[in-house]
Amino acid sequence: MSLISNTTLSRRGFCTCCVAAASFAVTGAWLNPSQAFAEARDIVDLIRDDAAKAPIKVHKLRRNVSILEGSGGNIAVLTGGDGKVFIDAGITASRSRILEAANSLSRDPIKHLINTHWHFDHTDGNQWLNAEGVAILAHENTHKHLLAAQRVEDWDFNFPSSPLAAVPTEVFSSEKTLTLNRSTLHLKHYDPAHTDSDISVTFTEADILHCGDTYWNGIYPFIDYSTGGSIDGIIKATEANIAAVSDKTIVIPGHNLPGHDSPVSNKTELAAYRDMLVAIRENVARLKRHGSSLDEIITAKPTAAFDAKWGQFLITPALFTRLVYQGV
């Protein structure tokens, strides 16, 4: 997607907060938190609408690991004789194009699905994948959240409980190791970060780390306080991600800035993401300690030094300030 480069971001472009970004393109000014909050009300429908027609890009990484980009979060695919392994399921509306893209990698059937957390842009496709014969594995909190109705306050959206076919049938609480397609997959739960259900997936032999939505490359991250997320948790998860990789590791973010040549990242970019999070957290916390209101803190622009790089898509500087404010 080359939405940003043309500064003509469409409301139909993939978005977790693209409504606000679209308004920036139209008005030349960032939305304040209340405006962004109101505009985000139909964000779930917009993402689903976009997924109904967005192309699925295939990126081959290393060994037998690839990425399918264009339906919700980045979907990693491990191919081989044990059947394809999907890391995240994308949006149901992309089903035919996801199948076409996956079949371009190999004719192995899809047999396994691992959800990095419970959010719909990573689990919406669970039901149709289950119908293909796929077994679903996730953290126990993903199972809990999909099994019951959920509300995400900052999306102002109520999610009904998922059909049983979409609920993981195998769960774990801390760590789990799998051997599939001659690859070792290590799954590890973070402490609450983006949500309370986040896990990382390491492809050991390929030296690839999928961070789920603890890492948004080139974009301010969304933090779901409604289901356990926090700014301090995101920072702690990022420190764990940095400690887990080397300079040669391929890092898969949950989301990345559209228009990049590659959807993947590396240790250097992870460190820059950590530095941004820490600096903005401190700026907002200092102003809050001094008694500034949320509106006063937004006016003070505590994200200003980072907006050119991180604030041009999805989560606006004002909205990210609001998200950090909730957690300090």
Side-chain angles (χ1 to χ4, degrees):
M1 292 172 288
S2 57
L3 304 175
I4 292 302
S5 59
N6 296 327
T7 61
T8 55
L9 180 63
S10 162
R11 287 175 63 91
R12 294 301 183 189
F14 164 73
C15 51
T16 300
C17 193
C18 67
V19 181
S23 295
F24 173 79
V26 172
T27 66
W30 294 115
L31 297 174
N32 64 39
S34 61
Q35 289 171 321
F37 183 80
E39 292 273 351
R41 287 179 175 177
D42 58 354
I43 189 170
V44 174
D45 290 335
L46 286 172
I47 291 174
R48 286 176 171 153
D49 289 348
D50 178 68
K53 52 190 174 186
I56 303 297
K57 296 181 180 178
V58 179
H59 305 269
K60 294 185 178 180
L61 301 183
R62 188 181 287 160
R63 293 171 67 100
N64 50 344
V65 180
S66 301
I67 286 180
L68 308 183
E69 180 189 19
S71 179
N74 288 319
I75 301 171
V77 181
L78 174 71
T79 59
D82 295 327
K84 291 191 185 79
V85 182
F86 271 32
I87 312 300
D88 283 335
I91 307 294
T92 298
S94 307
R95 175 177 181 169
S96 61
R97 276 164 288 116
I98 288 175
L99 280 173
E100 181 181 5
N103 286 337
S104 75
L105 295 170
S106 77
R107 300 305 296 183
D108 306 316
I110 309 168
K111 289 291 189 182
H112 310 272
L113 167 62
I114 299 168
N115 292 139
T116 59
H117 62 292
W118 79 270
H119 277 165
F120 82 103
D121 52 330
H122 301 257
T123 61
D124 193 64
N126 279 16
Q127 186 175 12
W128 76 260
L129 282 163
N130 178 266
E132 296 278 334
V134 171
I136 306 173
L137 168 64
H139 185 261
E140 60 189 11
N141 286 341
T142 293
H143 179 273
K144 177 184 71 177
H145 291 311
L146 292 179
L147 205 54
Q150 303 293 324
R151 175 171 176 78
V152 177
E153 290 291 342
D154 287 301
W155 289 343
D156 191 23
F157 199 92
N158 296 313
F159 292 88
S161 59
S162 298
L164 286 178
V167 177
T169 53
E170 185 178 0
V171 300
F172 69 99
S173 60
S174 179
E175 299 184 41
K176 187 175 183 65
T177 300
L178 307 170
T179 301
L180 292 166
N181 297 328
R182 300 182 179 179
S183 295
T184 306
L185 280 68
H186 185 63
L187 285 53
K188 188 172 184 179
H189 180 237
Y190 299 95
D191 289 335
H194 170 67
T195 70
D196 64 3
S197 60
D198 306 300
I199 67 166
S200 62
V201 179
T202 300
F203 300 89
T204 302
E205 290 81 5
D207 193 12
I208 295 172
L209 173 67
H210 195 315
C211 301
D213 275 9
T214 66
Y215 182 29
W216 296 45
N217 189 24
I219 315 168
Y220 289 137
F222 179 69
I223 303 169
D224 181 6
Y225 287 89
S226 298
T227 56
S230 73
I231 178 63
D232 288 343
I234 285 270
I235 292 171
K236 185 177 179 181
T238 305
E239 294 283 8
N241 289 334
I242 293 170
V245 301
S246 73
D247 292 337
K248 296 180 180 179
T249 304
I250 293 175
V251 179
I252 303 175
H255 300 280
N256 44 278
L257 186 67
H260 275 192
D261 292 336
S262 171
V264 298
S265 186
N266 53 53
K267 186 173 186 176
T268 299
E269 291 180 342
L270 262 178
Y273 176 70
R274 182 268 319 277
D275 293 346
M276 174 274 292
L277 294 172
V278 170
I280 292 176
R281 186 216 179 277
E282 178 53 31
N283 289 345
V284 174
R286 183 179 63 255
L287 291 166
K288 192 173 182 179
R289 284 197 303 270
H290 290 167
S292 298
S293 67
L294 174 59
D295 286 343
E296 289 170 339
I297 292 174
I298 290 172
T299 301
K301 300 183 184 303
T303 65
F306 302 94
D307 290 345
K309 179 176 180 180
W310 300 92
Q312 303 300 310
F313 190 64
L314 302 178
I315 306 296
T316 66
L319 180 56
F320 187 58
T321 299
R322 179 177 182 272
L323 294 171
V324 174
Y325 180 89
Q326 292 183 61
V328 298

